[in-house]
Amino acid sequence: MSAAKRVQQWATFARTWHVFDCKWQDPYESAPIIKKYLMGMHKPIYHPMNDCGDVVVCINSKQIALKGDDWRQRAYFHHTGYPGGASWTLAWELHNKDPTMHCLLDGNCLLLNQPRPRAVITHRIENLHTFIL
């Protein structure tokens, strides 16, 4: 095998790091882009049950932008698993508590819509890192 072919094969199978700047980005529109790299859909060896996804680092997650009244209208659902444990958190409340949660929750929602085992989804979400700079 030639050196060029070995490099091409390594680049196909290697886990690379991608940096995504969230500054002035809508998290609901950027989530499909992040999902593509987390799942490895940009690689020619992609298969839904194959773990070929890359690592994505989201920076400036405190400076996201939502359209119109989405800060007051968007709500995130959480359930503890106990009876009466359902709670809704508005986007602005979530942003005040932890600004990095928008990217994590939106990425998690997109990955949960896929018919995959829970362990695969959890492993893929571990490859998403969000930071406030």
Side-chain angles (χ1 to χ4, degrees):
M1 182 183 287
S2 69
K5 285 286 188 185
R6 261 186 271 136
V7 169
Q8 182 182 11
Q9 184 178 9
W10 179 86
T12 302
F13 288 98
R15 218 178 268 278
T16 57
W17 289 65
H18 301 277
V19 178
F20 184 79
D21 190 6
C22 296
K23 188 173 187 176
W24 295 105
Q25 299 290 325
D26 188 359
Y28 306 105
E29 292 179 2
S30 60
I33 299 167
I34 295 170
K35 173 189 157 189
K36 180 176 78 170
Y37 289 103
L38 282 177
M39 293 182 68
M41 297 170 104
H42 63 287
K43 294 186 176 184
I45 59 165
Y46 171 72
H47 186 270
M49 295 305 291
N50 188 8
D51 183 25
C52 62
D54 292 337
V55 180
V56 179
V57 178
C58 296
I59 59 172
N60 295 328
S61 62
K62 189 172 185 173
Q63 298 158 350
I64 62 170
L66 294 178
K67 297 178 182 176
D69 284 342
D70 276 356
W71 284 110
R72 285 179 275 162
Q73 293 177 354
R74 289 275 182 182
Y76 291 94
F77 178 74
H78 174 72
H79 200 286
T80 61
Y82 291 101
S87 66
W88 293 89
T89 307
L90 295 175
W92 67 271
E93 293 173 346
L94 181 70
H95 192 72
N96 287 341
K97 288 179 190 175
D98 187 9
T100 61
M101 289 300 291
H102 281 285
C103 293
L104 288 175
L105 290 176
D106 296 334
N108 199 10
C109 288
L110 278 179
L111 290 175
L112 285 175
N113 290 338
Q114 305 295 322
R116 312 272 182 274
R118 183 74 179 176
V120 173
I121 294 169
T122 306
H123 179 68
R124 287 182 179 156
I125 260 319
E126 289 174 356
N127 290 333
L128 176 64
H129 306 282
T130 58
F131 295 103
I132 304 169
L133 294 180

